[in-house]
Structure formats: C-alpha cells, structure tokens
Amino acid sequence: MSSQKKILVIGSNGQIGTVLTKKLGQKFGFENVIGSDLRMPDAPTKFIFEECSVLNKEKLEDIIYRHKISDVYLLAAYLSAKGEKNIDKAWDLNMTGLLNVLNFAKQKKIQKIFWPSSIAVFGPSTPKNNVQQYAITEPTTIYGVSKLAGESLCHYYHNKFGIDVRSIRYPGLIGWDSMPGGGTTDYAVDIFHEALKNQEYTCFLSKDRTLPMMYMDDAIKATILIMEAQANKIQIRTSYNLSACHFSPNELAEEIKKYIPSFQITYKPDDRDQLAKGWPASINDKHARNDWGWKPNFNLSQMVSDIVLNLRNRYKK
Ligand code: NAD
Ligand code: AKB
C-alpha cells in the first residue's frame, strides 16, 4: 500500500460531501480526493468522481484498488425524515454500507474510516439539556436506531480487529453551499433561501423546538480534526458528542430579521416536529474538546451573518 494519503468520500454529492470534498481537496490536493455517489454530480468537480453505490461491494473494491485508497469518509445514508418513510431501505443503506467499508479495513484494503453518527441516537428518555456522552440512548427513529447500531459496530470492529474508525455525533448542520437531503433539521437551511428569495417561510417545526445545531464550517473542521488526530487521542470508538450552538426556529428567525427586516415566519409543524421532540436541546461535548482539541468557531449570530453574506452574493449573480 502506498504511503500517500488517498481519500474516498462516499456520498460526495450530499449536503456534507459537497463541502467536505472541496476542503479535503484544498488540504491534500484534488488529485488525492475521489468522490463517489449514486449519480454524477450536477456541476463539474475538481476531484475525481466515480459513480457507485456503497452497497455494490465489487465496484467499490475496484475503486479502492484502482485509486489506492487509504482513508474513507462514509457519508451515504438515509437521514431521519426520509428514513421513517423507507424503513427497510434506511436500515440496509445505513448498516450494510458501513459493514462493507469496515470489512475493507478488516481486509487491510484501507487504513482509516470516518463515519458520522448523529444526535438522533438520543431519544425521549435522554435528559433534554447538556446531554452527556454516556447519557441514555433509546432512539425512536429507524435512523437513530441504525446510528446507534453503527456506533456499536465501529466499537466492535475497533476492539476486535484494531480498525481505525473515527466518529462524531453531528448535530443538525447548516450551510449555504449545499442543500440537505431528508433530515429533521433541514428547516434551518431552507429558511435562509426562502428569506432571501421570498421574505417568508413556513416552518415544519414548532416555534420553540430547540435543537443542537452547527455551522457547516465547524462540522468540516471537526471532521478533519478527528481524522488527523493521533490514533491514541481517540479514546471513544463509538462516537463523540459534538456541540457548537442550540436554538429554536423562532430564535433563528429573529436573527435573520436583523438582516432582512421584512422576513415573516409562520409555523405548520408536521411529522418531523415529533421526531425533533424526542431529541436533546443541547449537548455536552467535553470529551471531544479534551481528547482531540475540538472547539467551534461559530455561534448563532456569527453563523447567520456568514450565511446571509454568502447567499446574498450567490443570488446577486
Ligand atoms: P445527504 O442525504 O445530503 O447526502 C447523502 C449522499 O449519499 C447523497 O448524495 C446520496 O445520493 C448519497 N447516497 C445515497 N445512497 C447511496 C448509495 N447507496 N451509495 C452511494 N451514495 C449514496 O446526507 P448528509 O447530510 O450529507 O449526511 C452525511 C452523513 O452525515 C450521514 O451519515 C448523516 O447521517 C450524517 N449526519 C448528517 C447531519 C446533517 O445535519 N446533515 C447530521 C447528523 C449526521
Ligand atoms: C437529521 O435531521 O436527520 C440530521 C441529523 C440531526 O442527524 N440532520
């Protein structure tokens, strides 16, 4: 195996993959980053792209072999809201996809894996605020169930086979550069686009439904930080709690109004509000901070300012 880092991002067309591939390309060279997804990306990419399902083991193995892949970022998944509508498919993609990649590491075809978990591993029996790393995990969505099982699988493969798999429990992620793909926290991205285009938004969560959230820049920073940390710093091989800020739709709307005073929000909670109701309002991430030096850069007002600036530029074009 070559000593050159060669990175494969599976699910590279998604909300996180779109941004992560750019950051990894800037850091390690675009020639060392391979993206893969079910379909070709909408726009040309600077990195190499391979069309492939993570469920197609043979094709994936061929990509890993041809590109001499060392590190895999596995992002392909069904998220919470989409998962509730496709339970069998969500379980299959979220679990078999992970198992396929873990087995490539077991066979020594790759060296390191990043696989994200979620705050969805928590449920209504978890305390609401400042949720600790080892709090009760009794999820009530198939997505949360698959993430919790995935965390155990990562822990098991690390302990039994020494697999270097690293994981973060992302909160809801918000960015301006990509659109979300079927989650409960998607409102927090949609709201910016509607505020700038139409000055109004109908929110599918309740006005005061506070959730742990994070700006995409911080999520990407944490992802690269945990992957670049020395292996002995990674003390938790299930998945790390990670936190930046928490807010309700009402608080987000008030912050947006500082830039777009005519913005109006109305509330029409749907099934997704019930999913969000079972999740924590805030997370304690002291282990990530102590073990590998995690610290966020963006609070709510810094994030809103940056997103509005970037989207205004985009919509001007
Ligand atoms: P997304 O839905 O935006 O993107 C997933 C990508 O995977 C899509 O481009 C999709 O086409 C691709 N994909 C689907 N099936 C595939 C298959 N069989 N083979 C290959 N690619 C396939 O998701 P995201 O928001 O970018 O999330 C990425 C990961 O981060 C997921 O594991 C998700 O659970 C986790 N996560 C995301 C958030 C968030 O707020 N975005 C929060 C917590 C955890
Ligand atoms: C979702 O809403 O499903 C995701 C998540 C918090 O895991 N954004």
Side-chain angles (χ1 to χ4, degrees):
M1 193 176 283
S2 141
S3 60
Q4 169 69 56
K5 189 192 286 292
K6 283 270 188 176
I7 299 167
L8 175 64
V9 179
I10 303 175
S12 60
N13 294 352
Q15 188 194 7
I16 301 173
T18 303
V19 188
L20 182 65
T21 43
K22 283 184 196 157
K23 283 281 152 52
L24 290 171
Q26 284 158 4
K27 191 169 169 66
F28 299 110
F30 282 97
E31 69 283 8
N32 296 315
V33 177
I34 290 88
S36 86
D37 208 296
L38 290 177
R39 277 168 293 280
M40 293 300 289
D42 291 338
T45 60
K46 287 189 184 168
F47 56 85
I48 302 153
F49 183 83
E50 296 274 5
E51 208 172 311
C52 178
S53 168
V54 68
L55 301 177
N56 186 338
K57 254 195 295 190
E58 289 70 32
K59 194 163 176 190
L60 197 55
E61 184 171 355
D62 175 60
I63 292 169
I64 287 170
Y65 174 75
R66 275 192 289 112
H67 294 284
K68 301 187 170 53
I69 298 296
S70 57
D71 299 6
V72 172
Y73 291 72
L74 172 54
L75 303 178
Y78 269 69
L79 277 75
S80 56
K82 198 172 164 189
E84 289 309 287
K85 295 193 162 52
N86 305 274
I87 294 175
D88 294 359
K89 283 186 179 166
W91 179 260
D92 191 32
L93 174 60
N94 297 4
M95 298 314 303
T96 311
L98 175 59
L99 200 58
N100 285 349
V101 174
L102 285 169
N103 279 329
F104 287 132
K106 184 178 157 214
Q107 294 154 12
K108 307 215 177 307
K109 292 178 173 136
I110 53 174
Q111 289 162 16
K112 212 193 275 184
I113 300 166
F114 175 79
W115 172 82
S117 183
S118 160
I119 54 161
V121 295
F122 299 114
S125 55
T126 311
K128 267 280 162 226
N129 295 302
N130 197 29
V131 171
Q132 302 293 318
Q133 177 70 36
Y134 297 105
I136 297 171
T137 44
E138 290 179 341
T140 50
T141 60
I142 192 64
Y143 174 64
V145 170
S146 70
K147 288 296 182 188
L148 188 58
E151 288 189 7
S152 287
L153 201 57
C154 291
H155 186 251
Y156 174 76
Y157 266 66
H158 176 74
N159 282 344
K160 193 164 174 87
F161 306 114
I163 303 307
D164 191 356
V165 53
R166 303 170 182 209
S167 179
I168 285 169
R169 291 172 178 156
Y170 288 134
L173 303 184
I174 313 165
W176 58 270
D177 202 10
S178 57
M179 294 306 286
T184 302
T185 58
D186 295 8
Y187 90 88
V189 177
D190 301 341
I191 193 172
F192 284 95
H193 293 270
E194 294 306 314
L196 282 158
K197 284 190 292 190
N198 303 318
Q199 291 78 55
E200 58 181 30
Y201 178 63
T202 304
C203 183
F204 57 76
L205 296 190
S206 308
K207 186 176 177 185
D208 296 318
R209 184 69 67 221
T210 299
L211 289 171
M213 304 294 289
M214 181 176 284
Y215 193 30
M216 186 62 82
D217 286 40
D218 271 337
I220 301 297
K221 175 180 143 177
T223 304
I224 296 178
L225 197 62
I226 192 174
M227 279 298 267
E228 290 307 300
Q230 282 175 10
N232 63 4
K233 301 271 183 209
I234 312 299
Q235 296 293 318
I236 294 175
R237 293 292 182 160
T238 49
S239 188
Y240 277 92
N241 274 9
L242 196 73
S243 173
C245 50
H246 55 276
F247 50 80
S248 65
N250 181 49
E251 288 164 326
L252 178 57
E254 287 305 313
E255 200 59 41
I256 292 173
K257 278 184 198 168
K258 292 181 184 166
Y259 300 86
I260 309 166
S262 58
F263 176 55
Q264 295 287 328
I265 183 163
T266 48
Y267 296 92
K268 211 173 160 192
D270 66 16
D271 296 354
R272 289 168 283 189
D273 193 50
Q274 286 309 307
L275 307 189
K277 193 176 172 190
W279 290 352
S282 64
I283 298 284
N284 182 300
D285 64 356
K286 66 170 184 263
H287 290 278
R289 290 173 189 251
N290 292 340
D291 289 0
W292 41 274
W294 157 247
K295 195 168 167 279
N297 289 336
F298 290 84
N299 61 24
L300 172 60
S301 60
Q302 291 163 323
M303 178 189 77
V304 171
S305 160
D306 206 55
I307 296 177
V308 171
L309 183 79
N310 278 291
L311 283 182
R312 272 196 174 135
N313 283 338
R314 170 180 289 183
Y315 284 124
K316 245 191 267 164
K317 283 177 193 163

